[in-house]
Amino acid sequence: MLQNIIDFCNYWWFRYLMVTELYMVEKWERVTIHVIFAVLFCLFWYFNYSVLLSFTGSILGITPISDSIEQQAAKIA
Amino acid sequence: MGNSNGDSGEVQQERQRNCDISNSWNKMKGITEENMPKECDSSTVELRARKNGFKDNVVEAAPTNGCLKNCTANTTQCATANGTACSNSNSNSKQSLYTPAKKLSEFAAEHTRKTSFEEVPLHTACLTYLGFYLLMILGYINQLLFVPKVAKEENREGYVTLYDAFESFYSRYVYRRVRDCWNRPICSVPGDEVTLKDRVTNDYGWSFQFTGTETRCLNLGSYNYLGFADATGPCAEQSEETAREMGLAMTSTRVELGTTQLHLDLESLTARYLGVEDAIVFGMGFATNALNLPSLISPGCLVLSDEKNHASIILGLRLSGATTKVFKHNNMRDLERVLRYNVVHGNSKNGGKPWKKILILVEGVFSMEGSIVRLPEIIALKKKYKAYLYLDEAHSIGAMGPHGGGAVDYFGADPKDIDILMGTFTKSFGSAGGYIAGSKRLIDFLRTNSHAHCYASSMSPPIAQQIYTSMSIIMGLDGTDTGRQKINQLARNTRYFRRRLAQMGVITYGHEDSPVVPMLVYLFSKIGAVVRTLTTRHIAVVGVGFPATPIMEGRIRYCLSAAHTKEQLDYALEVIDEISDRLGLKYSRKPREPNTIEY
Ligand SMILES: Cc1ncc(COP(=O)(O)O)c(C=O)c1O
């Protein structure tokens, strides 16, 4: 069972490396690229969270849940 | 020497075959000639006479050659058969404006039915580009951080760098990563099987060490179409005999002390094989294109070249200084558009005066695409616009057509409709060198003007003997039907292999009768992975990627051979099926054949 899952993951990891051309690069390059991917992902996430979300929120007139929770918290305090 | 042209009975048979071919072609043309208005004829002839080509009048060829007798015999026969007036060979030019329209559309339909260039799925296209950019970025990072010793030019103070920056960047940081899949040394005859010399790399492709072991592989990579690359058998024996008799090199050019009876015999046999008046042979196929094109065309000439033409042709065109216009691969509409525009507008650099010559340059079978030239349509176009036609049969000669006569034979065309027939002996004949065949005048012109004839060393005798013997076998002059069997075997192998691949759902390019079978894998990594995996399963194939193909179209190229048996192909197909599941190569969205495919 566990072996099956590991095999499955390994196989698709291999396919993923293949379509991104990372299959044929050296190990440190693979790591570098994955770090870059991760950093990019985080930046996007942060951008979406901090800028895009409040921007669309203000356009559409939706208050983010976190804001209202904060307000509630402030009131209670 | 044993190089006499065979007894007369066989010659007769050969002629009969030539007659058959041109008869059917002439019949086809005869039909249209009946309803042809007479006024047009003279104007056509006049137009042709005004052209100052190297080959201005076909009829004038010296009537000393046996082949000419042969062709008069053909036309007489055709006259009696159709009751129309095609009693002299000049009728060729008369018919030119009147292409058999119905027939041509049939040819076009057949071409579209049999040729497939399936579109790449969109997500694969995007991934391929992304992957390529990724590789480039990584390459630049790599180059920034590590410049290996080999990449530095040392002790060259005051000199500019000698090596081109981009190309060396590309081969160092992209190609190097999968370099183990190319330039693999072999240590056996490249027959149906080949022995690879194993090697390993410990530094990601910068250097290799031989392990001392060897791998015997099924050979799906060599251009050994008819299986004449062999260390035993009649070809090898006769070549050996010739080598013992005449040595390995002529150490002289053809115009000095390099011509032997063997060369002359080979030339006349080649001419006979192709059904034309005369032929000339050269020691190298690449040079045949690169060095003869400049003697045929010059600045002020226009060349219409297929976009997928071979590097040797492109080099020849650059050397010649002629203006080159590229038309889309095998696209008759585009060819006609470019032709018409240039016939109408002339040479814009020369105030719109007519081009000196217009030459259409195509290949018989395109080696990277696996497609076959649309010869009947090109012949019709060339006659309509009075352009010359240069056909490179490097991959098709021997491998195509019921008699192994190349694309001309495959379409049943008249070889005299092609002004310059070029081909190489490196593929089907299992030898080396190239030829140009055509009218006697063309060949005589080349004998005096070709650099490859006058300045290059002449063909090595055992090489010439190998061609001579294999060609005789294909023509059946050895009294056996080995040649015929080989041709049939190749055609069967081709059909079977291509249909099985299509059934699997991988994307293959090209025409279903072409023995070159490119299988699209798109990504660099996949080229590497397929070649490596197949090697572990004892199959040797060739991967092709950028810059030999567009970035997006990395492919694996299989070359079939008459030497392969069904069992070998079945084994290969089974393995290919398995790995294309595992690596995800089944891109095709076409409906698949549900039934098993018969050999
Ligand atoms: C179309 C074409 N022309 C010419 C050549 C050159 O022939 P050779 O390899 O005999 O030099 C090739 C070789 O691949 C080819 O494909």
Side-chain angles (χ1 to χ4, degrees), chain B residues 146-154 172-173 203 206:
Chain B
F146 305 95
V147 183
K149 269 214 197 86
V150 291
K152 280 191 209 124
E153 287 186 39
E154 279 167 354
R172 276 181 202 147
Y173 294 102
D203 51 3
W206 288 108

Side-chain angles (χ1 to χ4, degrees), chain B residues 261-272:
Chain B
Q261 187 58 41
L262 182 55
H263 291 101
L264 299 177
D265 287 344
L266 178 61
E267 288 179 345
S268 64
L269 188 74
T270 307
R272 219 171 106 203

Side-chain angles (χ1 to χ4, degrees), chain B residues 52-105:
Chain B
N52 59 342
F54 47 85
K55 192 170 159 285
D56 43 15
N57 204 338
V58 196
V59 205
E60 275 182 29
T64 47
N65 199 298
C67 279
L68 200 72
K69 266 186 258 159
N70 188 357
C71 81
T72 7
N74 282 345
T75 32
T76 335
Q77 256 196 15
C78 126
T80 48
N82 294 313
T84 47
C86 52
S87 52
N88 61 37
S89 38
N90 203 11
S91 58
N92 264 356
S93 56
K94 281 190 202 167
Q95 289 156 355
S96 50
L97 279 178
Y98 286 79
T99 51
K102 182 165 159 288
K103 263 296 201 204
L104 275 187
S105 64

Side-chain angles (χ1 to χ4, degrees), chain B residues 292-327:
Chain B
N292 285 304
L293 281 169
S295 39
L296 292 173
I297 48 179
S298 54
C301 299
L302 175 72
V303 181
L304 302 170
S305 168
D306 192 291
E307 67 178 336
K308 302 291 183 189
N309 274 346
H310 190 251
S312 56
I313 296 176
I314 296 168
L315 180 64
L317 293 181
R318 290 201 187 143
L319 282 180
S320 75
T323 308
T324 307
K325 298 265 161 73
V326 176
F327 63 92

Side-chain angles (χ1 to χ4, degrees), chain B residues 300 342-356 358:
Chain B
N342 282 289
V343 168
V344 172
H345 295 268
N347 185 354
S348 57
K349 280 191 207 131
N350 194 9
K353 289 214 187 92
W355 294 97
K356 272 202 238 165
I358 299 183

Side-chain angles (χ1 to χ4, degrees), chain B residues 21 37 42 74 78 82 93 117 140 230 286 337 373 389 413 419 437 473 485 496 547 571 592:
Chain B
I21 295 174
S42 53
N74 282 345
C78 126
N82 294 313
S93 56
F117 281 97
Y140 279 114
D230 206 349
F286 193 97
R337 182 184 62 79
V373 65
L389 177 57
D419 303 278
I473 292 175
Q485 275 171 10
Y496 180 66
Y571 170 70
R592 297 179 197 176

Side-chain angles (χ1 to χ4, degrees), chain B residues 223 284-286 289 310 312 363 367 392 394-395 424 426-427 433:
Chain B
Y223 304 132
M284 182 185 175
F286 193 97
N289 272 334
H310 190 251
S312 56
E363 290 180 23
S367 55
D392 180 340
H395 288 266
T424 65
T426 23
K427 281 111 196 172

Side-chain angles (χ1 to χ4, degrees), chain B residues 63-344:
Chain B
T64 47
N65 199 298
C67 279
L68 200 72
K69 266 186 258 159
N70 188 357
C71 81
T72 7
N74 282 345
T75 32
T76 335
Q77 256 196 15
C78 126
T80 48
N82 294 313
T84 47
C86 52
S87 52
N88 61 37
S89 38
N90 203 11
S91 58
N92 264 356
S93 56
K94 281 190 202 167
Q95 289 156 355
S96 50
L97 279 178
Y98 286 79
T99 51
K102 182 165 159 288
K103 263 296 201 204
L104 275 187
S105 64
E106 264 169 33
F107 277 122
E110 189 179 325
H111 174 85
T112 26
R113 196 175 65 246
K114 291 190 170 175
T115 308
S116 141
F117 281 97
E118 200 176 335
E119 288 274 309
V120 46
L122 184 66
H123 63 277
T124 316
C126 296
L127 282 173
T128 312
Y129 271 106
L130 278 181
F132 188 76
Y133 292 132
L134 208 77
L135 281 180
M136 289 311 235
I137 292 169
L138 274 178
Y140 279 114
I141 297 178
N142 207 328
Q143 192 182 31
L144 221 65
L145 299 180
F146 305 95
V147 183
K149 269 214 197 86
V150 291
K152 280 191 209 124
E153 287 186 39
E154 279 167 354
N155 302 326
R156 284 188 155 268
E157 265 121 72
Y159 285 87
V160 293
T161 52
L162 185 55
Y163 312 110
D164 178 68
F166 180 76
E167 271 177 18
S168 60
F169 167 76
Y170 182 81
S171 56
R172 276 181 202 147
Y173 294 102
V174 182
Y175 169 71
R176 190 246 319 151
R177 303 174 193 277
V178 279
R179 200 156 72 99
D180 56 314
C181 302
W182 282 274
N183 297 337
R184 290 183 294 178
I186 68 168
C187 37
S188 77
V189 184
D192 59 336
E193 291 189 347
V194 64
T195 308
L196 297 180
K197 201 163 163 61
D198 296 333
R199 52 182 189 173
V200 290
T201 173
N202 297 318
D203 51 3
Y204 298 97
W206 288 108
S207 65
F208 290 95
Q209 285 87 41
F210 288 120
T211 57
T213 56
E214 291 170 355
T215 313
R216 189 90 184 139
C217 286
L218 173 62
N219 183 2
L220 286 177
S222 304
Y223 304 132
N224 180 22
Y225 298 125
L226 291 181
F228 278 113
D230 206 349
T232 55
C235 291
E237 275 158 27
Q238 292 187 21
S239 302
E240 184 187 342
E241 225 171 82
T242 309
R244 299 218 176 277
E245 197 180 309
M246 308 176 68
L248 293 178
M250 297 315 298
T251 59
S252 179
T253 70
R254 284 292 301 277
V255 292
E256 286 158 9
L257 292 173
T259 302
T260 64
Q261 187 58 41
L262 182 55
H263 291 101
L264 299 177
D265 287 344
L266 178 61
E267 288 179 345
S268 64
L269 188 74
T270 307
R272 219 171 106 203
Y273 180 69
L274 298 166
V276 292
E277 288 168 13
D278 206 353
I280 178 171
V281 299
F282 304 96
M284 182 185 175
F286 193 97
T288 309
N289 272 334
L291 301 182
N292 285 304
L293 281 169
S295 39
L296 292 173
I297 48 179
S298 54
C301 299
L302 175 72
V303 181
L304 302 170
S305 168
D306 192 291
E307 67 178 336
K308 302 291 183 189
N309 274 346
H310 190 251
S312 56
I313 296 176
I314 296 168
L315 180 64
L317 293 181
R318 290 201 187 143
L319 282 180
S320 75
T323 308
T324 307
K325 298 265 161 73
V326 176
F327 63 92
K328 290 201 193 105
H329 176 54
N330 246 345
N331 187 330
M332 292 306 111
R333 195 174 293 169
D334 197 41
L335 172 60
E336 178 155 22
R337 182 184 62 79
V338 183
L339 251 178
R340 188 187 298 138
Y341 181 87
N342 282 289
V343 168
V344 172

